[in-house]
C-alpha cells in the first residue's frame, strides 16, 4: 500500500533529507512542499524514521493543519490530539516556537504521542489529559483544532460498520466538544473542525448545532489546492463553506472564526 510522509524540518532540511533517502522512491506532493508519497513499505523501519526525520501520515490528514495555518509564536490547542499527527505538524509549521497544547482523553494514546514528540525532537508541545468537553479555561487560544473522534467511515483503517446508535452518540460528543472548543477560542481566533468520516450527523449537523447555539460563530469559506465537494447537510449557509474531499482518505473540514 502506498504511504505518505511529511518531512520534519525541525530535524533536517529538505535537500539533505532527499539525499539521505535516495534509496527510496519518493514522489513529491504538488500542493504541500513537505510531503512525499512512496510505495516503500519499509520506510517506517528505516534509521531515518527513528532519527525523527519524517512522520508517516495520510495525505488527507495533513490538510486540517494547512487550513488552521499555525505560525511561530501561536498558542494552539489540539483538543483530541493522539497519536499526534496534527500536533506535531502544527509544531513544525510553528518552527517549534509558541505552544501547542496536545490534549487527549486517552492516557494510553497520549503515550504514543509522547514517543513521537520525543522522536521528532519537539519542545513546544505540552500534553494534557482532559475530557475535551471539560477542558479548563486556562487561557484563550488563538487557534484550535478539533480533529474529532468519529466513526472513521472515510478512513483506510475502518473495517467495522457503525450502528445508528453509535453515530448518534458520537455526534452528541462532537457537538459538545465543538461548543467547548469554541468557548475556549480567543476573539478573532480560528477553530478547525475535521473528521475522517462521511456521515452528515457527524459533520454538517455538528457545525449547524454550533451556529444555532453561538451567535458569534462564523463558518469561513474554504479554498483548497485540489478538487473538493461542498457539504451535504441541506443547509446552504453551511454547505457552501465546508468541504468534503477524498485523497487517500475521506475527510470533512470546517473553518470557524469567532466574530
Ligand atoms: C481522530 S483521533 C485524533 C487523531 C489525531 N488528531 C491525530 O491527527 O493524530 C480522535 C481522538 O479523540 C480522542 N477522544 C475521544 N473522546 C475524547 C474527549 N471527550 N476528549 C478528548 N479527546 C477525546 C481519542 O482518544 C482519539 O485519540
Amino acid at each position: 500500500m502506498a504511504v505518505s510522509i511529511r518531512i520534519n524540518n525541525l530535524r533536517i532540511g529538505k535537500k539533505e533529507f532527499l539525499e539521505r533517502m535516495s534509496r527510496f522512491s519518493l514522489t513529491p506532493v504538488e500542493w504541500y512542499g513537505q510531503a512525499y508519497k512512496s510505495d516503500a513499505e519499509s520506510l517506517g523501519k528505516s534509521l531515518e524514521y527513528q532519527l525523527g526525520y519524517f512522520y508517516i501520515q495520510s495525505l488527507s490528514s495533513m490538510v486540517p493543519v494547512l487550513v488552521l495555518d499555525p505560525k511561530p509564536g501561536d498558542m494552539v490547542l489540539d483538543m483530541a490530539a493522539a497519536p499526534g499527527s496534527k500536533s506535531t505538524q502544527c509544531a513544525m509549521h510553528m518552527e517549534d516556537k509558541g505552544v501547542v497544547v496536545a490534549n487527549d482523553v486517552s492516557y494510553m494514546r497520549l503515550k504514543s504521542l509522547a514517543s513521537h514528540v520525543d522522536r521528532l525532537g519537539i519542545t513546544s508541545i505540552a500534553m494534557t489529559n482532559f475530557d475535551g468537553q471539560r477542558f479548563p479555561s486556562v487561557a484563550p487560544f488563538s487557534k484550535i483544532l478539533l480533529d474529532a473522534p468519529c466513526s472513521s467511515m472515510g478512513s483506510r483503517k475502518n473495517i467495522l460498520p457503525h450502528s445508528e446508535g453509535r453515530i448518534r452518540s458520537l455526534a452528541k460528543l462532537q457537538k459538545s466538544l465543538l461548543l467547548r472548543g469554541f468557548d475556549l477560542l480567543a476573539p478573532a481566533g480560528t477553530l478547525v473542525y475535521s473528521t475522517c468520516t462521511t456521515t452528515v450527523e457527524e459533520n454538517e449537523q455538528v457545525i449547524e448545532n454550533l451556529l444555532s447555539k453561538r451567535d458569534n460563530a462564523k463558518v469561513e469559506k474554504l479554498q483548497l489546492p485540489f478538487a473538493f465537494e461542498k457539504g451535504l447537510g441541506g443547509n446552504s449557509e453551511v454547505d457552501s463553506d465546508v468541504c468534503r474531499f477524498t485523497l487517500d482518505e475521506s475527510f470533512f473540514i470546517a473553518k470557524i472564526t469567532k466574530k
Side-chain angles (χ1 to χ4, degrees):
M1 191 166 68
V3 291
S4 42
I5 62 170
R6 176 168 58 70
I7 305 177
N8 175 21
N9 285 343
L10 302 175
R11 283 272 203 233
I12 192 165
K14 194 195 264 195
K15 186 165 172 286
E16 191 189 342
F17 176 78
L18 292 175
E19 279 163 15
R20 283 205 61 147
M21 299 291 284
S22 59
R23 65 189 185 284
F24 297 106
S25 135
L26 298 179
T27 310
V29 172
E30 54 284 0
W31 46 267
Y32 192 13
Q34 304 310 315
Y36 288 82
K37 290 183 272 190
S38 179
D39 287 326
E41 286 178 13
S42 57
L43 277 171
K45 298 195 178 91
S46 65
L47 175 64
E48 289 81 359
Y49 178 79
Q50 294 304 333
L51 290 171
Y53 291 173
F54 64 94
Y55 191 99
I56 299 174
Q57 183 177 2
S58 83
L59 289 177
S60 299
S61 156
M62 296 180 194
V63 180
V65 170
L66 297 183
V67 173
L68 187 67
D69 194 24
K71 302 271 194 242
D74 273 342
M75 174 88 175
V76 177
L77 171 62
D78 187 354
M79 290 183 79
S85 318
K86 299 177 188 71
S87 286
T88 58
Q89 190 185 0
C90 284
M92 196 193 82
H93 279 247
M94 292 160 62
E95 299 167 14
D96 212 18
K97 298 182 186 112
V99 181
V100 180
V101 177
N103 178 70
D104 204 281
V105 76
S106 161
Y107 183 75
M108 285 308 291
R109 286 174 64 89
L110 278 173
K111 283 189 181 177
S112 86
L113 193 154
S115 83
H116 286 304
V117 168
D118 191 35
R119 182 177 64 80
L120 298 167
I122 293 170
T123 58
S124 59
I125 290 184
M127 286 180 289
T128 58
N129 186 204
F130 294 103
D131 180 334
Q133 298 170 95
R134 285 178 278 286
F135 192 91
S137 306
V138 276
F141 293 91
S142 56
K143 290 183 181 157
I144 296 183
L145 178 64
L146 174 54
D147 185 41
C150 69
S151 58
S152 305
M153 282 165 53
S155 163
R156 293 191 289 193
K157 294 175 211 141
N158 184 44
I159 37 167
L160 294 172
H162 289 271
S163 66
E164 281 178 24
R166 172 78 182 134
I167 291 183
R168 259 198 311 276
S169 89
L170 280 165
K172 191 168 168 226
L173 173 62
Q174 290 151 349
K175 286 173 182 165
S176 165
L177 285 168
L178 183 56
L179 282 169
R180 184 66 193 137
F182 186 77
D183 291 343
L184 293 164
L185 191 64
T190 301
L191 186 156
V192 170
Y193 176 83
S194 59
T195 71
C196 61
T197 201
T198 50
T199 68
V200 167
E201 292 89 333
E202 296 174 81
N203 292 319
E204 290 85 349
Q205 288 181 9
V206 176
I207 306 301
E208 283 170 25
N209 181 68
L210 173 74
L211 296 182
S212 72
K213 301 218 156 86
R214 299 289 185 272
D215 286 347
N216 53 347
K218 181 171 187 289
V219 186
E220 301 287 340
K221 198 169 275 309
L222 278 176
Q223 299 291 335
L224 297 180
F226 47 78
F228 62 92
E229 285 166 23
K230 294 182 173 177
L232 300 173
N235 173 333
S236 56
E237 193 197 340
V238 171
D239 288 351
S240 60
D241 295 340
V242 299
C243 86
R244 288 172 169 259
F245 61 88
T246 304
L247 299 170
D248 41 8
E249 301 187 279
S250 297
F251 257 67
F252 171 91
I253 301 186
K255 179 179 176 181
I256 294 150
T257 52
K258 191 177 243 184
K259 287 190 262 180

